[in-house]
Amino acid sequence: MRFTFKPQVDKIKSPYRQGMELAVVEGIWAMLLLTMLSGPFLTAYLLYLGANSQQIGLVLAVPAIANLLQILSAMYMQKLKNRKRAFVLFASAHRLIGLMTGLIPFIFPKEIWLTVFIVIFLLYSSINAFAGVIWTSLISDMVPGQLRGKYFGIRNVITSAVNSIGLYITGVIIDRYEGALGFNIMFILAAITVIMNIIYFARYPNPEFEKPREMKVGTFVLRPFKDRVFFKGLLFLSIWTFIITMTHPFFSYVMLDVLGVRYQTVANLVILQTVSSMCGFYICGQLSRKFSERTLLLSSLPFLAVAALLWGTLSFLPELLVLILIFLCLGFGLGSYNQQIFIFMIGSSPKAERPIYIAVFSAITGLAGFFGPTIGGTIFEELKRFPLWIQQYGFFLMLGIVLLVLGTVVAPLAFHKQK
């Protein structure tokens, strides 16, 4: 018997595969950073800086209004010779400026902390508007269309799992070290994630950037509005975003400032939401080969409505049980909804014109997302004059009914022609 030895040769990974693997690791560090600079910890930091509900609503609306700049970003991209270089520049600036908010108590007098934060946060969000369009264009070219549903499902599950750890650790730190010390430790950890995030997205591949043929600026910008299927979906999602952003961003505010829930409990509930989101990501990713993006998108909407409706059960169920049910529904709904929105946005646009589709979608829904929390914050400030139960669950219950009607009656009509 003869034995022949064949040396094992490592398979050379394709640029597609290399980019997809890098995007998973990079996404882990980006998600950890996002954990500390948004969500319940952003609300907690704003309360520490002296913000009220109306001011918190204003801050939460800043990223949405900054998304209007994505139209300028899409136009700017048509002149780019190196898409990756531009992304690295804008994304690095975005992360570093976000860290600057942690230096505010060390540099400025207390009476202007909040004003300075809003100015820095506006710059932070504006730069992200440019980075966001470029990243979405870049990642959509890195991931083949037939793999998007499954890939983003798996990527989101992995990044969310790591995010759960970050939520727990940050919640413990802020709860144990009250006041300035807890937030100082949080921003030190955020600085580490920024460094690692930059290292990994700087290694992204740079696939060829396909641009549209010679087209006038006006024609280029108006192109998505002439696409009936895209525009109908955009119109519905803008209305939906307006209602959603009057509701979900204030869950943390009501828990922390109205119900008096501890930071650690809020962090644990957000971890529960993240785990539930992972289920939404994974299930949608697995079902993407059997069902259309329209079906999966429509199926996610009732979960977000129920998350608001469940606040009404505070009148007869234990508080902790209600909050657990709320965040389970919220997590699963957001997981499946956000994933399908992303796929809808890149899948319903022609490759060469994708940046302007992304920009128009983000700008219009961003405008709705600006007015939502701004009006919501004003309403919560006015609700202080009314009975406590209206602040605790009455307002959420009313908006939940509106969301349920939109999600089950209006949405199928808005998306009925979409394949």
Side-chain angles (χ1 to χ4, degrees), residues 10 57 76 83 142 158 160 164 182 189 193 226 243 249 254-255 265 301 304 353 389 401:
D10 291 336
Y76 162 74
R83 181 172 46 168
M142 286 164 50
I158 294 172
S160 297
S164 299
L189 294 175
T193 66
K226 296 179 180 180
I243 305 297
V254 170
M255 287 189 295
T265 303
L301 302 181
L304 298 177
E353 299 169 9
W389 69 268
I401 295 171

Side-chain angles (χ1 to χ4, degrees), residues 300-320:
S300 69
L301 302 181
F303 286 96
L304 298 177
V306 171
L309 289 170
L310 281 169
W311 283 89
T313 61
L314 277 175
S315 60
F316 57 89
L317 289 178
E319 180 181 290
L320 184 58

